[in-house]
Amino acid sequence: MSDPITPFPGHDRLIRGLERIAELSDAEREVLQALPLRVRSVAKGEEIVRENDRPDRCCLLLDGMLHRYKLLPEGTRSIVAFHIPGDIPDLQSLHLATMDHALGALVPSRVAFIPHAALLDVAREHPNIGAALWRSTLVDSAIHRQWVIGLGARPAYQRIAHLFCEMYVRMKAVGIAEPDGFMLPITQTDLGDATGLSTVHTNRSVQELRGAKLIRWERGFLRVLDWQGLRQAGGFDPTYLHLKRADESELRSQSRAGPHG
Amino acid sequence: MSDPITPFPGHDRLIRGLERIAELSDAEREVLQALPLRVRSVAKGEEIVRENDRPDRCCLLLDGMLHRYKLLPEGTRSIVAFHIPGDIPDLQSLHLATMDHALGALVPSRVAFIPHAALLDVAREHPNIGAALWRSTLVDSAIHRQWVIGLGARPAYQRIAHLFCEMYVRMKAVGIAEPDGFMLPITQTDLGDATGLSTVHTNRSVQELRGAKLIRWERGFLRVLDWQGLRQAGGFDPTYLHLKRADESELRSQSRAGPHG
DNA sequence: CGCAGATTTGAATGCAATCAACACTGGTGG
DNA sequence: CCACCAGTGTTGATTGCATTCAAATCTGCG
């Protein structure tokens, strides 16, 4: 249960997370390196921030996977976002005092807390970093929009394919994907709560994707067998992730499968 | 087709729009008053910003109603947001260069364009205004999240009730609602495209709301007959709109109908 | 008046939810 | 070491909410 102010390991994640969408100078990277991080491990299923909380710090994900969700009166859980290392899932709390949803861990994870005050200072002193943070919340918003579109207009099969594409591309962008797939250590129940489908129907749709030889998904690793096919199945266009050109073109050109980078 | 730099009429809308969620000083209001606005009328159905555009200005809505939407390959239109006077629907373009959706007018409207450069300057020189703008995009994002929840977990009837509540409260917050309802000059087709329902089923759900004596909706005016009932039908909790305390408590306490303020 | 867009109604179909079991996995404790 | 259990994944059967297809009515407007 280490809870010291660690001046090192998490900063790389933070910087990579921001650099996938924004340009940073050396000086700015150094400023970020100096941010105080309080590292903590969280257990699977643990709630990191509660609905209605008024946090005074943000949570940077270092390792593992988090989700943002809301429990409805009927007892159902609605997942509104998945988060991967490098993300700051509750960055919005910087300017929206009250949490309108909860943040929790889907698997054992490591997070780092950054005081609001520190982030606000940095954002004010270094407008470019401020812009990057703002931009980061805007990409988050763009992902929400895409989910709205998916839930409103796409059938189950396509919805799931789209989500797989999204997670794959996001992970590639921070360099934590493998050449042939990525870790997706969530349950089908989680997937269903995120796509608005029952677990049963989620299961059947995943099987369809397997049957179409687009993916394999075992022991938490999702292997992409046919990237072009999966993209097509999901109607996926990465524009909305607003990655920097380089990352984006890389993934466009990538052809089907094969264990080559 | 007036297209002069009008230094006056739109600024009130802008200020009211920001003040529903943020505190502004007199000095800051004056700074906002000095922003250059280019006012324009747009026709019903007109596209103001196109998908894939890279705008160099933002669009402030003065009168009317706009929507953000995306046309899918299958030919369907997915509406991801409705906008009312005081909103800046494409504020995200300030930091996300490429539009990942379109912006259009649902009814004849008046908008004012503000150059990105001007907004960025103001945001940098006046951190509190910058925070208010950022905050504004965060509320937009929170609304998206709520739509995700609705589309993923709520049945048609509830979804529509929830949307009606949301629009009512947002309009109250900028002072353009009537005591007994508000202008909602959209078609049921629009409503369906926003709630992920067919027009037929949208129609039937609206009729249910009417049958339950919760609303009336004629000639573009939605009369709220039973606010508490409507709130309950939609499972509506306004927390996610992040209004300033005052506005929020006002609406909580308001009881059923009646033409008293 | 006649037309286009919007609303409404009816009937048939279908996607996805629900209900109900069963299989598989990993972890725990006897 | 194995029995047991909880969580997860899978399959089958049934139900139902919402879609689609089709057509009639209503409304505003040129």
Side-chain angles (χ1 to χ4, degrees), chain A:
Chain A
M1 203 85 339
S2 66
D3 203 304
I5 297 187
T6 36
F8 184 56
H11 295 89
D12 295 337
R13 286 282 192 229
L14 174 61
I15 290 167
R16 286 223 73 167
L18 289 177
E19 280 189 322
R20 82 188 123 165
I21 53 164
E23 214 72 59
L24 296 176
S25 70
D26 289 346
E28 285 156 356
R29 266 190 291 272
E30 273 181 47
V31 168
L32 291 172
Q33 286 283 358
L35 274 174
L37 300 188
R38 203 168 221 106
V39 177
R40 190 161 84 76
S41 296
V42 293
K44 171 178 172 176
E46 192 176 330
E47 208 169 34
I48 300 168
V49 187
R50 223 166 292 264
E51 189 176 342
N52 295 318
D53 271 3
R54 300 170 68 86
D56 60 357
R57 60 187 185 183
C58 286
C59 169
L60 165 69
L61 177 56
L62 302 180
D63 291 295
M65 181 164 263
L66 308 185
H67 62 150
R68 291 193 282 165
Y69 61 97
K70 194 171 160 98
L71 297 174
L72 303 182
E74 310 89 81
T76 61
R77 172 188 61 162
S78 202
I79 294 180
V80 296
F82 288 121
H83 287 284
I84 64 174
D87 287 350
I88 307 178
D90 59 348
L91 188 51
Q92 92 281 341
S93 67
L94 216 48
H95 288 296
L96 296 184
T98 305
M99 291 290 293
D100 54 43
H101 59 275
L103 174 64
L106 287 164
V107 294
S109 305
R110 260 177 70 245
V111 302
F113 293 110
I114 316 174
H116 281 178
L119 281 169
L120 290 169
D121 282 352
V122 167
R124 186 171 325 104
E125 298 303 317
H126 305 271
N128 195 41
I129 294 178
L133 292 173
W134 189 350
R135 188 171 153 89
S136 168
T137 63
L138 292 172
V139 171
D140 188 66
S141 186
I143 293 172
H144 288 333
R145 274 197 292 281
Q146 208 55 229
W147 283 35
V148 167
I149 293 166
L151 287 162
R154 285 194 248 264
Y157 177 80
Q158 201 175 337
R159 240 181 264 180
I160 291 175
H162 193 279
L163 181 62
F164 287 165
C165 291
E166 175 181 304
M167 297 309 294
Y168 191 28
V169 171
R170 285 170 62 190
M171 291 203 190
K172 279 173 107 75
V174 281
I176 56 176
E178 304 292 325
D180 60 340
F182 58 100
M183 287 304 300
L184 189 68
I186 67 176
T187 68
Q188 294 186 355
T189 304
D190 297 329
L191 183 54
D193 286 350
T195 52
L197 300 167
S198 69
T199 52
V200 173
H201 198 58
T202 302
N203 177 274
R204 288 180 172 133
S205 303
V206 169
Q207 285 180 52
E208 269 190 83
L209 288 170
R210 285 202 267 251
K213 300 250 194 310
L214 300 180
I215 59 156
R216 286 171 58 185
W217 189 19
E218 308 150 332
R219 275 162 280 111
F221 186 82
L222 197 148
R223 182 180 305 262
V224 177
L225 301 176
D226 177 357
W227 172 241
Q228 295 304 337
L230 189 62
R231 273 187 62 173
Q232 197 174 335
F236 179 76
D237 169 1
T239 306
Y240 73 99
L241 291 172
H242 298 274
L243 300 172
K244 291 193 305 191
R245 281 261 163 271
D247 299 324
E248 217 181 305
S249 59
E250 175 200 330
L251 92 97
R252 272 193 217 287
S253 63
Q254 185 189 11
S255 59
R256 53 189 56 225
H260 59 285

Side-chain angles (χ1 to χ4, degrees), chain B residues 211-231:
Chain B
K213 300 248 192 316
L214 300 181
I215 59 156
R216 287 171 57 186
W217 189 18
E218 308 149 332
R219 274 162 279 110
F221 185 82
L222 197 146
R223 183 180 305 263
V224 177
L225 299 177
D226 178 357
W227 173 240
Q228 295 304 338
L230 189 62
R231 273 187 64 173

Side-chain angles (χ1 to χ4, degrees), chain B residues 132-178:
Chain B
L133 292 173
W134 189 349
R135 188 171 153 90
S136 167
T137 63
L138 292 172
V139 171
D140 189 65
S141 187
I143 293 172
H144 288 333
R145 274 196 293 280
Q146 208 56 228
W147 284 36
V148 167
I149 292 166
L151 288 162
R154 285 194 248 265
Y157 177 79
Q158 202 176 337
R159 240 181 264 180
I160 291 175
H162 193 278
L163 181 62
F164 287 165
C165 290
E166 176 180 305
M167 297 309 294
Y168 191 28
V169 170
R170 285 170 62 190
M171 291 202 189
K172 278 174 108 72
V174 282
I176 56 176
E178 304 292 325

